[in-house]
Amino acid sequence: MQKNLLYMVAFLVLVLSQIFLLDNISLSVFFHPMIYIAFIIMLPLDLKPLWVLLLSTLLGLTVDMLTGMHGLNVIATTATGFLRPLMLRLAVGHTTATDDSVPALHRLSTKHLAWYIILMVTLHSILFFMLESLSLSHLPYTLLRLVLSASTASLMSWYIVKLFTKKILNR
């Protein structure tokens, strides 16, 4: 029960940080890190795919409702949640047991956790920015925005996952 409460707190903290902090930082049009995807990354590895999809959809819907994006985040987060097992398999391989395990440093190697975070953030960023532009005419700008935002979001998500999984595992 306490883990569920910590996941709810993580959900709220990530969504509110994204909306009230990161969306209001205006460094450049090419800089738009999306850290709320860390919530999907932090979900237990043995969570049923239906729950991952529902939580991913709820995450995207919450961000869309609070920012007025009209479904863009729902599409990107739901697709990312759907492809989560594939990204995990690509990053970790078939050797990792999923026994109520939170993707944390002591359960996954540093390299595997880093690849998992990078793959998830990059997948979400590709979906988000390509759907946002809906055109290949500005592809160089979209790719630059994707690279800058995904690399920053990956780095920030690394620290977020590290912080929250440590709190979750200590409970």
Side-chain angles (χ1 to χ4, degrees):
M1 182 64 182
Q2 222 171 11
K3 282 186 181 181
N4 291 339
L5 182 64
L6 284 171
Y7 278 110
M8 285 189 271
V9 168
F11 182 91
L12 288 173
V13 166
L14 289 170
V15 168
L16 294 176
S17 296
Q18 179 69 44
I19 292 168
F20 293 115
L21 183 65
L22 291 175
D23 285 353
N24 290 323
I25 294 175
S26 180
L27 295 178
S28 169
V29 287
F30 299 112
F31 181 76
H32 185 73
M34 293 171 281
I35 61 165
Y36 60 90
I37 195 68
F39 177 75
I40 299 171
I41 294 169
M42 290 186 299
L43 290 173
L45 300 177
D46 68 337
L47 192 63
K48 301 240 185 264
L50 178 64
W51 283 107
V52 174
L53 278 176
L54 289 173
L55 290 170
S56 300
T57 304
L58 179 65
L59 177 66
L61 186 64
T62 305
V63 173
D64 275 342
M65 285 181 8
L66 293 173
T67 59
M69 291 295 288
H70 305 294
L72 189 58
N73 290 296
V74 171
I75 295 168
T77 56
T78 304
T80 303
F82 179 74
L83 294 171
R84 180 179 183 238
L86 174 66
M87 296 296 113
L88 190 60
R89 224 174 299 122
L90 287 173
V92 178
H94 297 285
T95 59
T96 302
T98 57
D99 53 344
D100 188 35
S101 54
V102 176
L105 281 174
H106 81 283
R107 297 213 171 126
L108 298 176
S109 69
T110 304
K111 179 181 90 170
H112 289 145
L113 182 62
W115 273 112
Y116 173 56
I117 292 171
I118 290 168
L119 286 172
M120 289 289 284
V121 169
T122 303
L123 172 66
H124 181 266
S125 297
I126 288 170
L127 292 168
F128 183 87
F129 290 121
M130 293 307 274
L131 286 171
E132 185 183 48
S133 68
L134 281 180
S135 171
L136 294 177
S137 63
H138 300 292
L139 187 62
Y141 296 112
T142 304
L143 290 176
L144 178 63
R145 191 170 184 204
L146 185 129
V147 168
L148 290 175
S149 298
S151 59
T152 306
S154 295
L155 185 63
M156 293 171 83
S157 294
W158 169 266
Y159 288 109
I160 290 166
V161 168
K162 211 169 140 180
L163 173 75
F164 275 109
T165 54
K166 191 179 295 184
K167 294 287 185 193
I168 289 169
L169 292 172
N170 286 338
R171 300 290 171 181

